[in-house]
Amino acid sequence: MTDIEHKIVDDRDEERHRAKMAKRKAVQDAEVAAKTVEKGLLIVNTGPGKGKTTAAFGLALRMLGYGKRVGVVQFIKGKWHTGEKDAFAAFGDRVVWHTMGEGFTWETQDLKRDIAAAEAAWAKVLELMADPSISLLVLDELNIALRYDYLDLEKVVNALKARREGLHVVVTGRNAKPALVEAADLVTEMGVTKHHFSAGVKAQQGIEF
């Protein structure tokens, strides 16, 4: 095949591609135009896979990029030092961060203490939900507190459903309760295909914390 014949074939392919993409764009544009609702979302990141909290903090960073304020309440994680907390500290009072947990229940081995910590964290959540300057609220590991019945599920779900208009809330943690999943606008189930822990790799700075 000569160079000219190659060019003819290439031109035909290019024209077919252009026509195909034009049709695709028309469909996409129509679909986007049909979406007219703007509202605060209840988002749940759950499942056994890694990245639930990381994804939530990605949304927090995006919100900060638009000059908004963000709140973070950590229900389970204790006084561990984390890189993300240090990073968000650079935003000053645009990030309101509360680490309220005492660690996982197998660490504290004290049910009353765990329940008291969860209740204190939930009180802080209600306070931040009422603050009109907060645009996004990350409730880290709330699913774990609900899983162990540290908090009343119905009370929590009803409060989240009744949140003020425009407030986005992201809930993280494994084993999200069906009632919370039902109430949510967006639920992402993070699965595990392969995890380095299985090969004996320990938690590492910058990756796990």
Side-chain angles (χ1 to χ4, degrees):
M1 186 176 289
T2 66
D3 290 342
I4 293 177
E5 287 172 328
H6 269 298
K7 186 176 186 308
I8 292 172
V9 171
D10 289 345
D11 288 346
R12 287 173 180 170
D13 287 344
E14 181 64 28
E15 184 57 36
R16 281 193 293 268
H17 178 74
R18 242 193 319 266
K20 182 179 179 180
M21 291 301 104
K23 290 180 180 178
R24 176 71 181 273
K25 183 178 185 305
V27 171
Q28 292 296 116
D29 288 349
E31 185 174 353
V32 170
K35 308 294 189 292
T36 58
V37 177
E38 185 171 341
K39 57 173 286 189
L41 299 176
L42 176 55
I43 300 169
V44 176
N45 294 342
T46 191
K50 178 176 168 55
K52 296 177 286 292
T53 297
T54 305
F57 287 153
L59 288 180
L61 185 61
R62 180 176 291 165
M63 195 68 72
L64 289 165
Y66 285 103
K68 308 291 188 179
R69 291 190 82 217
V70 170
V72 177
V73 178
Q74 294 187 300
F75 276 81
I76 301 298
K77 294 182 175 73
K79 306 304 180 182
W80 310 337
H81 180 269
T82 61
E84 57 266 33
K85 184 175 181 179
D86 289 348
F88 280 120
F91 289 93
D93 67 359
R94 289 176 56 206
V95 177
V96 182
W97 189 295
H98 296 280
T99 300
M100 309 289 290
E102 298 282 357
F104 288 99
T105 187
W106 55 84
E107 294 173 332
T108 64
Q109 301 176 19
D110 187 331
L111 180 59
K112 289 182 179 179
R113 181 176 168 183
D114 291 339
I115 291 173
E119 289 176 343
W122 181 247
K124 183 60 65 176
V125 170
L126 295 177
E127 178 185 318
L128 294 179
M129 285 175 65
D131 183 345
S133 73
I134 300 292
S135 296
L136 174 73
L137 189 54
V138 177
L139 308 185
D140 189 34
E141 305 287 10
L142 172 57
N143 285 335
I144 305 300
L146 293 174
R147 176 188 179 187
Y148 288 114
D149 298 320
Y150 296 163
L151 296 170
D152 182 273
L153 175 62
E154 184 177 4
K155 179 178 71 174
V156 168
V157 170
N158 286 341
L160 291 175
K161 289 167 67 174
R163 70 193 181 281
R164 58 184 167 80
E165 185 177 353
L167 175 64
H168 302 288
V169 177
V170 188
V171 178
T172 74
R174 297 185 179 204
N175 303 112
K177 292 284 191 176
L180 180 59
V181 170
E182 177 65 26
D185 298 288
L186 171 64
V187 179
T188 300
E189 179 86 12
M190 302 205 177
V192 178
T193 300
K194 190 174 185 179
H195 202 302
H196 49 280
F197 283 5
S198 300
V201 180
K202 68 178 184 179
Q204 300 178 85
Q205 187 180 67
I207 301 298
E208 276 75 38
F209 59 91

